[in-house]
Amino acid sequence: MTTDDQRDHRRYAHNGPALIRVEEVFRRYPTGVEALRGVSLIAHEGEVVCIIGPSGLEPIDRGRILFGDREVRGKGREARAIRQQIGMVFQSFELFPHMTALGNVGEGPRTVLRMAHAAVEARARALLDKVGLADKADALPLQLSGGQQQRVAIARALAMEPRAMLFDEATSALDPETVGEVLNVMQQLAREGMTMLVVTHEMGFARSVADWVVVMENGQVLEEGTPARIFGGPRLARTREFLQRVEHAPHDATVKPE
């Protein structure tokens, strides 16, 4: 085995307990298209795992998703408690349009965690400062650029003090000038040790920040490994072809394997 092959093997054999584990997950749309076909992957505590391929975090039809040693399923109290530990950032920001940036960030701690008003405001202001938006606390979403709105969305997810963050193509809806604002925040979270599962076509981010890269094609894992191996010497010709298409595509294009 090469060094990278050995690392690939060791990661699954023993690399500490997985914080997020996806086991044999299937997802079929009503149209009959199979979006996921037996996908399995893991993310260890403090790891950044980048998924390159068709975007979208979807409900599943079959399989298991575990967070720590507990399965994430259903809508009961236990499921809600688990989901509170997972922050999610979507392509389309999903901010409350009638709330200021401060209100958006503080909504979760206020309504879910039942924190006192002063504590909510202090946390929300600290997080807006963390993402570089301390001066935008009183701005409504429509008064913010796309990059600023996405940074508010990241701050809102962080307000619940999650153990892991999921990013679903967080930069795909942004102008090229504002992509860097969001990626810088994500890089900072990675440096701080946040566990992150990132669906992305930002090859520079995946190459420089990820601990592990998963390439998806036709609803299955095509190839996975360290960034050095995936970008420097992928085993499969299909992986090389797909990565070349993604890297040479315009930023705002959605590139999917054929």
Side-chain angles (χ1 to χ4, degrees), residues 106-244:
E107 181 66 7
R110 179 170 50 251
T111 61
V112 179
L113 303 182
R114 304 293 183 182
M115 290 175 58
H117 175 77
V120 168
E121 182 167 341
R123 179 178 293 188
R125 289 190 182 279
L127 286 169
L128 286 174
D129 184 54
K130 181 183 181 72
V131 300
L133 294 173
D135 61 334
K136 300 294 184 181
D138 296 326
L140 293 170
L142 286 177
Q143 298 171 311
L144 301 173
S145 70
Q148 289 170 336
Q149 290 186 61
Q150 194 62 295
R151 282 185 282 158
V152 172
I154 293 173
R156 180 180 61 182
L158 292 173
M160 297 297 289
E161 297 188 334
R163 292 180 61 194
M165 291 280 286
L166 308 183
F167 292 87
D168 183 9
E169 283 286 4
T171 61
S172 67
L174 303 181
D175 295 328
E177 305 81 48
T178 62
V179 169
E181 301 172 1
V182 174
L183 293 181
N184 286 340
V185 173
M186 293 170 66
Q187 288 174 327
Q188 179 61 35
L189 292 177
R191 287 193 292 269
E192 294 171 357
M194 174 64 74
T195 304
M196 297 165 61
L197 199 60
V198 183
V199 180
T200 186
H201 289 128
E202 295 290 345
M203 298 298 99
F205 178 88
R207 184 183 282 110
S208 62
V209 179
D211 297 293
W212 197 254
V213 177
V214 179
V215 181
M216 299 283 297
E217 180 183 52
N218 297 325
Q220 295 179 306
V221 175
L222 176 64
E223 189 167 352
E224 61 183 308
T226 63
R229 187 176 69 70
I230 291 297
F231 293 107
R235 296 188 179 105
L236 302 177
R238 286 291 293 163
T239 306
R240 290 192 295 272
E241 294 166 4
F242 176 51
L243 292 177
Q244 287 172 358

Side-chain angles (χ1 to χ4, degrees), residues 10 78 83 247:
R10 286 200 308 271
E78 183 176 3
R83 291 189 176 100
E247 289 193 289

Side-chain angles (χ1 to χ4, degrees), residues 81-114:
I82 296 172
R83 291 189 176 100
Q84 285 178 24
Q85 300 180 63
I86 305 171
M88 295 190 66
V89 180
F90 304 95
Q91 300 178 42
S92 54
F93 320 139
E94 303 292 343
L95 298 179
F96 297 112
H98 63 289
M99 291 185 179
T100 64
L102 188 71
N104 268 281
V105 177
E107 181 66 7
R110 179 170 50 251
T111 61
V112 179
L113 303 182
R114 304 293 183 182

